[in-house]
Structures are given as structure tokens and as C-alpha cells.
Amino acid sequence: MSKKIFLNEIAEFDVSDYLRDDEDIAEYLTQVLAEGDSNELLRAIGYIAKARGMTQLAKETGLGRESLYKSFRAGSKPQFETVFKVLHGLNINLKAIPKEVGT
């Protein structure tokens, strides 16, 4: 007997559910940066923000919680200042290293 599955019964995958600690976050962000997709980077920052807690991040950055959600949803184009504030609020440092020859 087959069971009918309704679309509203399927849970949506949320990356933030799997970002449990700083190591998970660093690995995830490193992979996204390696891909080189700026839209995916912004979405990744949003997932990390959600995993860490939007309310706390809003307090630390001085940005509104709803504004944070809007800034990092798919298709958004936040100002660099916002991205920088959020990264700082998340205690994330981006580091520039020379690209290896041949890659």
C-alpha cells in the first residue's frame, strides 16, 4: 500500500540546524568561500546568523532582527557595512591568503 506524501508535510532543509559549533561554521563558510558565489556567501552568513541566534546578533550589531533576515535572504544585496557588522557580531574573521599556483 502506497502512502501519499503531501508537500506541506515534507520538512524544509535548513543548514542552520547543522551548524552546532565554531568548527562547523568555519568549515561551512570555508567551503562556501571556495565556491566563489557571492549570493551563496550572503545566504551562508544568514544561516550562520540564524544558528547563533538572530535576537542576540541584532543586539550586538544594533541592526533590527527583521532587517537581518531580509539582508541575508536569497536575492538580497546588503551593503558591505551590514555584512561587516554581522561578521564582526558573529566573531568571524575572514583571512586573505595567496592563491596556490596552479589552482
Side-chain angles (χ1 to χ4, degrees):
M1 173 185 267
S2 67
K3 182 179 178 182
K4 290 184 180 180
I5 298 176
F6 297 97
L7 291 178
N8 60 355
E9 292 179 357
I10 299 173
E12 191 172 312
F13 179 77
D14 189 342
V15 173
S16 64
D17 293 337
Y18 299 91
L19 301 174
R20 297 174 299 267
D21 55 33
D22 290 344
E23 289 77 26
D24 290 345
I25 289 169
E27 180 64 29
Y28 173 56
L29 196 54
T30 298
Q31 289 178 8
V32 170
L33 286 165
E35 295 286 323
D37 183 332
S38 61
N39 289 323
E40 189 60 32
L41 174 61
L42 294 174
R43 288 182 50 205
I45 293 169
Y47 287 131
I48 294 166
K50 184 177 175 188
R52 291 269 180 95
M54 269 315 177
T55 301
Q56 183 61 33
L57 183 60
K59 289 177 186 175
E60 290 177 17
T61 61
L63 301 168
R65 203 171 81 83
E66 290 300 317
S67 175
L68 288 170
Y69 277 110
K70 288 178 184 176
S71 293
F72 295 98
R73 69 178 175 211
S76 66
K77 301 287 185 203
Q79 293 183 351
F80 181 75
E81 180 181 353
T82 300
V83 175
F84 191 71
K85 274 186 180 182
V86 169
L87 289 173
H88 183 74
L90 293 169
N91 294 319
I92 293 174
N93 292 318
L94 298 181
K95 182 179 178 181
I97 56 173
K99 187 175 180 179
E100 293 181 23
V101 178
T103 59

